[in-house]
């Protein structure tokens, strides 16, 4: 479970850094493939973890292995990072486009 949490945190961290680089109201366009369901997302994540284990790649080493998230998970990470979802153009056979607007980010 630690690997899953760490992997999702890396996604969140990227979105958070993008949000911080934009002014309030700035727009982030994300075009990416999305998993059709949680089972597909989990299967692809498992393949990534199996390959890391097979090739002895430690968890702390960054390796890009594209693991599509479900649309719900992708939008949730964006919202947690400080974006509001403005529009979603979901093309099941192609990449999904998410238009996200940066809101005010409060630092504690």
């Amino acid at each position: 479970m630690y690997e899953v949490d760490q992997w999702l945190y890396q996604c969140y961290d990227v979105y958070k850094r993008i949000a911080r680089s934009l002014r309030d109201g700035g727009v982030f366009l994300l075009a990416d493939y999305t998993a059709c369901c949680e089972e597909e997302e989990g299967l692809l994540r498992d393949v990534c973890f199996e390959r890391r284990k097979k090739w002895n790649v430690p968890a702390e080493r960054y390796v890009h292995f594209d693991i599509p998230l479900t649309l719900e998970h992708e939008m949730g990470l964006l919202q947690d990072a400080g974006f509001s979802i403005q529009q979603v153009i979901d093309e099941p056979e192609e990449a999904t486009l998410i238009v996200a607007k940066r809101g005010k980010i409060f630092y504690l």
Side-chain angles (χ1 to χ4, degrees), residues 37-49:
C37 58
E38 288 190 26
E39 290 77 20
E40 181 182 30
E41 181 182 304
L43 174 70
L44 294 170
R45 186 177 52 244
D46 291 346
V47 168
C48 173
F49 294 151

Side-chain angles (χ1 to χ4, degrees), residues 27-31 71 75 78-79 83-91 96-101:
V27 175
F28 173 50
L29 302 176
L30 174 65
L71 182 57
M75 291 190 312
L78 287 166
Q79 290 167 330
F83 289 100
S84 63
I85 306 303
Q86 302 296 302
Q87 184 179 9
V88 175
I89 302 170
D90 189 18
E91 296 290 337
T96 297
L97 176 67
I98 301 173
V99 180
K101 186 176 177 182

